Amino acid sequence: MSSTIKVTSNNDNNGTIRVAFATNDNENIDAHFGSAKQFNIYDISKDGFDISTIIKIETKDTDQTVALLSGSDIVYFVNIGPTAAAKIINKGIFPIKYKEIVSIDGELKKLVEMLNENPPPFIKKIIEKKAA
């Protein structure tokens, strides 16, 4: 079981990527994929970012968590098991693992800056795929 809070925005989604952050404290990327208390999902563009969805994880079920993240382009976490990693990759979600705890706000600002400068090829591919 999980609960989901969705937030709507008036922004168009052109050039926007949807990124999920595994978090236990609501401020940092500080959770293992399989034991995260929640995922905060943001829509990020060259103009900034908006929270899109908050998914509170109440039951540890990898398949259910992966299904709840459907529509996300990237998911950040501090660790993930090989089976869960394969499942999110098969859903078309790009996994990013940090070895240390990182601020969600700091990462959001880096992503906006990167979109305005020179995004890496995998992010360019995500944007092109969405525009098609």
Side-chain angles (χ1 to χ4, degrees), residues 29-32 76-80 97-101:
I29 303 162
D30 64 350
H32 184 289
Y76 284 75
F77 42 76
V78 293
N79 209 344
I80 191 168
K97 175 182 167 181
Y98 272 110
K99 291 183 180 184
E100 69 280 337
I101 294 172

Side-chain angles (χ1 to χ4, degrees), residues 40-106:
N40 292 355
I41 303 175
Y42 290 81
D43 290 326
I44 305 166
S45 71
K46 290 181 176 183
D47 299 325
F49 52 86
D50 291 307
I51 187 116
S52 164
T53 309
I54 298 171
I55 302 169
K56 295 200 179 278
I57 305 298
E58 296 162 2
T59 303
K60 303 301 177 198
D61 180 320
T62 301
D63 291 328
Q64 182 183 16
T65 301
V66 171
L68 290 167
L69 292 172
S70 180
S72 296
D73 299 307
I74 302 169
V75 62
Y76 284 75
F77 42 76
V78 293
N79 209 344
I80 191 168
T83 302
K87 288 179 180 187
I88 63 169
I89 291 167
N90 287 338
K91 281 287 187 184
I93 303 170
F94 192 89
I96 296 182
K97 175 182 167 181
Y98 272 110
K99 291 183 180 184
E100 69 280 337
I101 294 172
V102 177
S103 158
I104 292 173
D105 191 55

Side-chain angles (χ1 to χ4, degrees), residues 6-50:
K6 289 199 177 268
V7 179
T8 57
S9 170
N10 293 330
N11 296 339
D12 65 13
N13 287 336
N14 194 17
T16 300
I17 57 173
R18 181 161 282 176
V19 180
F21 298 100
T23 183
N24 288 327
D25 70 2
N26 213 25
E27 293 179 14
N28 297 294
I29 303 162
D30 64 350
H32 184 289
F33 182 86
S35 63
K37 292 179 182 173
Q38 71 184 43
F39 288 86
N40 292 355
I41 303 175
Y42 290 81
D43 290 326
I44 305 166
S45 71
K46 290 181 176 183
D47 299 325
F49 52 86
D50 291 307

